[in-house]
Structures are given as structure tokens and as C-alpha cells.
């Protein structure tokens, strides 16, 4: 029976293995990071293609609260250089609730909050707050209606204010991609 003799690794080989192990660990860690890790930086749009999200519950305050919410959103945007996102909707609207649910999802919210100052504007059955949209040259015909506006008041998505109107049939990724497209028009 032959005897096996253990030989310790040479110093140079040992350093190479340590370096390789460290590099491999970094690659594995990068590949397994959740999508929201990229979102926290505010840079790249989150990659959430198969994200499941739930409808929000009662995201719209009373219609009377809208003017102050808009004012607060513009003040925040001017201080932080975010864009303003005005979301016209109502608590009875399923697409409005789904849109809000997607925006508040833990994988999406950090990116949204980094880039947008949001005001949810309750229009109820189109009898409230339509004058706010009119100030930006938009007539509300359906909800949810989303306006993305610079802090100086320039509407960036006048060609697609209803693009997120079918939120029940859209993926969260499609919604985020559309917001990112508008954000990049700045």
C-alpha cells in the first residue's frame, strides 16, 4: 500500500487560488443581486420583467388635497432636481390601483423615488381637479393619466399621457420602461 503524502501549496499558487476565488465570488454576487439593487442608485432602470405586484389600496387622497400635493411635488422636484410625476386617477379605477401597486413595489419604488416627485390627483368621476391637467395643456378623457414634468413646468410626455392607462394588462417592466423613456427626454 502506497502512502499518500500531503504537500502544502506553494505560496505563489496559494495566492493565485485566493485571487481566483475572490474574483469568482464577485462574479457570482453580481449575477445574483436583486433588480432593486440597481434601482437604488437611480441610474439604470430596474430589470423586473416577471415581477408580480398587487393593486394598491386607496392611494388617492380626497380631491381637495390635490392642489397641495402638486405644490409639494414641485417644491421637492426643484430642491432635488427630480422630475414631477402627476398621476390623475381615482380609488374606484382598477388600472389606477394597479399602476400605483407597481410603482410602490419594493423592487421599483427606490428607482421611482430617486427620479420622481409624485402627486396622486383624485379626479373621482372627472368632476374634480381637471383644471390641474388643463394648466399643462391636457384634457382628462380617461384615467390613469400620467404627466411627467420638469421642475420648470415642461411636460415631457404630452404624446403619451395615457400610455399607462392599461396598467392591468401591462407588466411592471413595461411601465418602468415607459417612465424611463420619459425621464430620458429631459
Amino acid at each position: 500500500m502506497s502512502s499518500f503524502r500531503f504537500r502544502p501549496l506553494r505560496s505563489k499558487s496559494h495566492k493565485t487560488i485566493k485571487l481566483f476565488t475572490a474574483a469568482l465570488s464577485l462574479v457570482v454576487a453580481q449575477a445574483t443581486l436583486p433588480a432593486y439593487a440597481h434601482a437604488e442608485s437611480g441610474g439604470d432602470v430596474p430589470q423586473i420583467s416577471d415581477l408580480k405586484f398587487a393593486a394598491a389600496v386607496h392611494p388617492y387622497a380626497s380631491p381637495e388635497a390635490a392642489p397641495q400635493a402638486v405644490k409639494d411635488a414641485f417644491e421637492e422636484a426643484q430642491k432635488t432636481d427630480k422630475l414631477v410625476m402627476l398621476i390623475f386617477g381615482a380609488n374606484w379605477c382598477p388600472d389606477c390601483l394597479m399602476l400605483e401597486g407597481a410603482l410602490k413595489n419594493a423592487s421599483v419604488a427606490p428607482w421611482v423615488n430617486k427620479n420622481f416627485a409624485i402627486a396622486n390627483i383624485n379626479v373621482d368621476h372627472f368632476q374634480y381637479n381637471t383644471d390641474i391637467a388643463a394648466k399643462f395643456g391636457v384634457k382628462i378623457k380617461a384615467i390613469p393619466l400620467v404627466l411627467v414634468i420638469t421642475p420648470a413646468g415642461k411636460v415631457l410626455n404630452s404624446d403619451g399621457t395615457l400610455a399607462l392607462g392599461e396598467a392591468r394588462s401591462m407588466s411592471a417592466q413595461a411601465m418602468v420602461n415607459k417612465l424611463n423613456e420619459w425621464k430620458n427626454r429631459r
Side-chain angles (χ1 to χ4, degrees):
M1 184 168 173
S2 67
S3 86
F4 175 76
R5 193 174 123 202
F6 178 75
R7 290 182 352 160
L9 292 172
R10 288 188 217 141
S11 155
K12 189 174 183 180
S13 296
H14 185 66
K15 287 179 184 175
T16 303
I17 290 172
K18 276 184 157 181
L19 184 60
F20 176 76
T21 303
L24 183 60
S25 297
L26 185 61
V27 168
V28 170
Q30 181 70 23
T32 59
L33 280 175
Y36 62 82
H38 296 290
E40 289 174 355
S41 70
D44 296 333
V45 64
Q47 298 303 305
I48 49 166
S49 57
D50 59 353
L51 176 74
K52 303 295 182 221
F53 59 96
V57 178
H58 203 78
Y60 293 90
S62 70
E64 296 80 24
Q68 186 62 49
V70 172
K71 181 181 177 201
D72 293 346
F74 272 96
E75 286 176 2
E76 178 186 348
Q78 289 166 351
K79 290 178 187 172
T80 61
D81 200 36
K82 294 179 183 181
L83 293 172
V84 174
M85 185 187 323
L86 302 182
I87 305 173
F88 296 85
N91 290 317
W92 57 261
C93 168
D95 288 307
C96 299
L97 302 180
M98 291 303 286
L99 173 59
E100 185 69 13
L103 297 178
K104 296 292 186 196
N105 183 279
S107 294
V108 178
W111 178 82
V112 170
N113 294 334
K114 178 81 174 176
N115 291 291
F116 300 96
I118 300 175
N120 286 343
I121 302 167
N122 191 340
V123 299
D124 198 22
H125 290 280
F126 304 94
Q127 77 271 32
Y128 298 105
N129 297 315
T130 57
D131 59 319
I132 295 172
K135 288 178 186 175
F136 297 100
V138 176
K139 181 174 171 69
I140 298 177
K141 297 177 185 174
I143 54 174
L145 183 139
V146 178
L147 293 178
V148 175
I149 308 167
T150 66
K154 178 184 175 195
V155 177
L156 299 176
N157 68 326
S158 58
D159 61 336
T161 60
L162 295 174
L164 302 178
E166 301 279 330
R168 287 181 289 174
S169 62
M170 293 177 75
S171 71
Q173 186 69 60
M175 289 184 229
V176 168
N177 289 347
K178 183 54 74 176
L179 289 173
N180 191 54
E181 175 189 324
W182 294 335
K183 176 183 80 77
N184 290 331
R185 290 181 179 179
R186 187 172 213 185

